[in-house]
Amino acid sequence: MTHRALLAKFKGPLLALSLLWVAGWLWFTWGYWEDDAYIHLEYARNFHDGRGFMFNGLVSNGDTSPLWVVLLAAALGTGLAWLVAGKVLTILCVAFTMIMLWRFASRLREDAELDANSLPAWMLLIFVASPYFCYWAFSGMEAVGAAGWLMMQSMLLMPRRASLGTLMAAALSIGLGPVIRPEMVLMFAAGGPFLLYQWWQVTQGMSAARRGAVFLTAAVLLALPLAVWSAYALQAFGYVMPNTNAAKRAAPDSSVVLRMLNVFGLGFPGVLLALAGLAAALGVPALRAATAGTPSRTRMLLGIPASAAPMAAWLALVTLFYVFNQTYVQTRYALVMAPGLTCLLWVLALRHMRSGLVNALSVTTVALCVAGSLWMARPHLRNKMEVISAIDQMARHIQATVPAGQGIAVYSIGQYGFQLRQHPLIDIGGITRPEASKYLFEGGDKMLAWAKREGARYYISGESPEPGATLLYETQGRVTGWYFQTGAYDAPAMHRLWLLPATAP
């Protein structure tokens, strides 16, 4: 099958454009650190200081990426300022994932025996131009690195040539996955059969004793990272499942499927466009590729490139988990899934759709990603940086005026927890205090009553938490979120500190 025109040209210019785009966003977002990333950072600071996984004086299972905490602690140990150390770590993660995406797209193209030489460059540009990459890449979060880890896992599980090295690397990559992001625990089920098959391939001709030794070694590498973390979690917290499993649940009457479609459509429009294009091509002969390649059976599995099969199995399992667990799918969840999925969809499009349609799909997707990033991600990030400044002002005021030890209820705990180490935070989001999760959909009155029982004397919110609350301080920023109307980003957002009536003199 020949795929000339756009997908066979411009490899160098596309790569250069991608690198320039990434450098521009690094410069633009240097002063940005996501509030959830402050949670990582506070855990990392305490871990570095020998206090274990502690946030705001409370040992809690509120961090979903223990390995990221350890890496941040190591970065802090270099002597760099915390922001610089964290940014360096994110730069390394972005570079790692860009390399993995390039290799993954190349492997899928080879598996499907396509001559679209510029496919990896197009996939890279689509990824880095997407709004969610622009938002999360240098935010201090682990999601971009996790996306690269997923693609690496898939390639290791279905290598070009199986060996003891690829077997052990694949086992270790699965073992480390859950301590990078919790949903990667599903790769034990998705990748297990592929790992067993690779073990069977590698150990052909070995003695029974040696085959057993290889199996045992791979099993240890597979199980050890999660076993170590689980043992620590049981000892430190009394349970293994992170608190966010409850804190990030969707409202009972909401649709997870519609939420996922909305999230992918906003941040990775190419995913939905490619799915729609493939569906149309399969149903309309005029849109279908005139010829179909005949890749060797060893390089295709159930109609998809063999190198993508483990990832595809994981994507199916994690999607089912989100639906049945009623998970409120976050933008960073989509970021982990989308890069590898986009590569797979483009390869399938090249095999089943006319080249002209795939070229149009590629150009349209890049245009939508660039427009979305400039139209939405840029003002969103600008306002987020204003929020950082507003919270810094609020935290300084609290340090100067609120006595140490006074409880403060707040939803966005990250930056406050990092700055207010002498003031106990009552986490009404349930990240560090899982008992708050049951009140998330019960109405503000019940959450407020719980916060008071936990010792809240003050409340941080835009509106008064209850009649009679006294406004002590306020600072203004602009709203954050994803809006199609650019004027919406200019709306003010107030950050206010309230004294609850029960503590009024």
Side-chain angles (χ1 to χ4, degrees), residues 65 67-68 71 92-101 104 127 142-157 168-185 187-188 221-222 225 307 310-311 314 335-337 339-340:
S65 185
L67 184 59
W68 188 252
L71 293 174
L92 293 175
C93 282
V94 167
F96 165 74
T97 296
M98 291 174 70
I99 292 170
M100 287 300 107
L101 186 146
F104 188 62
F127 173 53
E142 77 292 338
V144 171
W149 197 266
L150 176 63
M151 291 182 283
M152 181 189 73
Q153 283 181 323
S154 199
M155 289 186 287
L156 285 172
L157 284 165
M168 299 307 169
L172 184 59
S173 73
I174 295 176
L176 287 172
V179 295
I180 297 174
R181 282 202 60 85
E183 65 267 38
M184 285 192 167
V185 72
M187 188 57 85
F188 279 81
L221 292 174
L222 180 72
S307 300
M311 181 201 70
W314 180 85
L335 179 63
V336 177
M337 303 165 73

Side-chain angles (χ1 to χ4, degrees), residues 57 77 84 100 125 129 135 153 186 188 204 209 240 246 268 348 359 378 398 405 410 423 431 446 463 476:
V84 175
M100 287 300 107
L125 181 58
Y135 183 81
Q153 283 181 323
L186 294 175
F188 279 81
Q204 287 292 301
V240 175
F268 293 100
L348 294 178
N359 291 334
R378 183 183 58 82
I398 291 172
V410 61
H423 298 82
I431 302 298
K446 291 185 178 181
E463 303 298 329
Q476 180 176 319

Side-chain angles (χ1 to χ4, degrees), residues 188-275:
F188 279 81
F194 298 95
L195 194 65
L196 282 173
Y197 176 68
Q198 190 175 164
W199 167 79
W200 179 82
Q201 282 184 304
V202 168
T203 59
Q204 287 292 301
M206 292 184 182
S207 66
R210 191 178 178 197
R211 295 188 78 188
V214 171
F215 183 91
L216 181 61
T217 303
V220 169
L221 292 174
L222 180 72
L224 189 60
L226 184 58
V228 170
W229 170 250
S230 297
Y232 174 82
L234 285 172
Q235 182 274 327
F237 319 125
Y239 54 94
V240 175
M241 183 72 75
N243 302 337
T244 51
N245 181 58
K248 298 299 184 183
R249 301 290 289 277
D253 57 346
S254 62
S255 169
V256 174
V257 173
L258 290 178
R259 168 69 182 176
M260 290 184 72
L261 291 173
N262 178 66
V263 168
F264 274 99
L266 191 66
F268 293 100
V271 170
L272 298 189
L273 286 175
L275 287 172

Side-chain angles (χ1 to χ4, degrees), residues 124-166:
L124 185 62
L125 181 58
I126 288 173
F127 173 53
V128 301
S130 67
Y132 291 172
F133 173 87
C134 297
Y135 183 81
W136 289 109
F138 305 109
S139 66
M141 298 294 286
E142 77 292 338
V144 171
W149 197 266
L150 176 63
M151 291 182 283
M152 181 189 73
Q153 283 181 323
S154 199
M155 289 186 287
L156 285 172
L157 284 165
M158 290 295 286
R160 274 279 175 264
R161 184 174 299 171
S163 66
L164 282 174
T166 61

Side-chain angles (χ1 to χ4, degrees), residues 156-504:
L156 285 172
L157 284 165
M158 290 295 286
R160 274 279 175 264
R161 184 174 299 171
S163 66
L164 282 174
T166 61
L167 175 67
M168 299 307 169
L172 184 59
S173 73
I174 295 176
L176 287 172
V179 295
I180 297 174
R181 282 202 60 85
E183 65 267 38
M184 285 192 167
V185 72
L186 294 175
M187 188 57 85
F188 279 81
F194 298 95
L195 194 65
L196 282 173
Y197 176 68
Q198 190 175 164
W199 167 79
W200 179 82
Q201 282 184 304
V202 168
T203 59
Q204 287 292 301
M206 292 184 182
S207 66
R210 191 178 178 197
R211 295 188 78 188
V214 171
F215 183 91
L216 181 61
T217 303
V220 169
L221 292 174
L222 180 72
L224 189 60
L226 184 58
V228 170
W229 170 250
S230 297
Y232 174 82
L234 285 172
Q235 182 274 327
F237 319 125
Y239 54 94
V240 175
M241 183 72 75
N243 302 337
T244 51
N245 181 58
K248 298 299 184 183
R249 301 290 289 277
D253 57 346
S254 62
S255 169
V256 174
V257 173
L258 290 178
R259 168 69 182 176
M260 290 184 72
L261 291 173
N262 178 66
V263 168
F264 274 99
L266 191 66
F268 293 100
V271 170
L272 298 189
L273 286 175
L275 287 172
L278 281 168
L282 293 174
V284 181
L287 302 178
R288 206 172 303 156
T291 59
T294 55
S296 60
R297 293 180 180 179
T298 58
R299 300 172 70 176
M300 298 292 288
L301 185 63
L302 299 177
I304 65 174
S307 300
M311 181 201 70
W314 180 85
L315 288 172
L317 288 180
V318 79
T319 300
L320 289 173
F321 172 80
Y322 287 154
V323 171
F324 288 103
N325 189 56
Q326 193 66 11
T327 300
Y328 186 73
V329 178
Q330 305 282 306
T331 57
R332 59 184 178 269
Y333 301 0
L335 179 63
V336 177
M337 303 165 73
L341 177 58
T342 302
C343 294
L344 174 58
L345 290 175
W346 248 256
V347 168
L348 294 178
L350 284 166
R351 284 187 48 76
H352 297 290
M353 294 171 60
R354 290 188 177 275
S355 297
L357 293 176
V358 181
N359 291 334
L361 176 68
S362 302
V363 173
T364 301
T365 299
V366 169
L368 287 174
C369 288
V370 170
S373 295
L374 297 178
W375 194 268
M376 294 183 292
R378 183 183 58 82
H380 187 16
L381 284 162
R382 176 202 65 198
N383 290 4
K384 278 281 192 174
M385 285 184 271
E386 290 186 3
V387 168
I388 292 173
S389 177
I391 292 177
D392 179 68
Q393 293 175 40
M394 177 72 78
R396 292 176 185 274
H397 175 81
I398 291 172
Q399 289 170 330
T401 62
V402 175
Q406 296 291 297
I408 303 170
V410 61
Y411 183 85
S412 297
I413 61 170
Q415 188 177 347
Y416 284 114
F418 186 75
Q419 293 190 237
L420 300 177
R421 309 194 79 185
Q422 303 303 315
H423 298 82
L425 298 183
I426 313 303
D427 174 17
I428 58 175
I431 302 298
T432 58
R433 296 175 183 255
E435 58 271 24
S437 299
K438 59 184 176 182
Y439 302 109
L440 287 173
F441 305 114
E442 296 293 327
D445 292 343
K446 291 185 178 181
M447 182 66 81
L448 176 63
W450 171 82
K452 286 183 175 180
R453 292 195 299 271
E454 293 296 307
R457 300 289 186 91
Y458 299 82
Y459 211 99
I460 296 176
S461 64
E463 303 298 329
S464 175
E466 64 176 328
T470 303
L471 178 62
L472 300 179
Y473 182 78
E474 67 178 5
T475 181
Q476 180 176 319
R478 282 184 282 188
V479 297
T480 57
W482 298 91
Y483 306 103
F484 288 111
Q485 302 84 7
T486 54
Y489 289 99
D490 293 326
M494 303 305 299
H495 302 262
R496 296 185 172 106
L497 175 66
W498 303 88
L499 177 66
L500 297 175
T503 63

